[in-house]
Amino acid sequence: MSQFQLVHKVGYFNIEGDEGHRIGTCDECGSYIRTRFAGEGDNAPYSPEVEDVVMARLDAVAMDPSFAGGSAKRTGE
């Protein structure tokens, strides 16, 4: 029987008061991904342009070298 071990240093960050947006970071590969959560009954329209503005603060956190490993690169780019 072979053993499989998966070890990742993954963290999640959000801005206090905004539970609908967060980023997931990977210390191992240095990347991060944006995540938007829509709650039940959330019928707000989705706009990529608005999301870019809302997520800008989290992008800055992910790329700040003094925080969470820093200099992350966004996945999907």
Side-chain angles (χ1 to χ4, degrees), residues 24-53:
T25 61
C26 177
D27 292 343
E28 190 170 308
C29 71
S31 65
Y32 74 99
I33 189 167
R34 297 166 154 189
T35 307
R36 178 183 182 263
F37 295 96
E40 188 175 327
D42 182 1
N43 296 324
Y46 175 80
S47 168
E49 294 82 9
V50 171
E51 291 302 316
D52 278 343
V53 172

Side-chain angles (χ1 to χ4, degrees), residues 6-13 24-31 68:
L6 181 61
V7 178
H8 287 283
K9 296 178 181 177
V10 177
Y12 297 96
F13 303 94
T25 61
C26 177
D27 292 343
E28 190 170 308
C29 71
S31 65

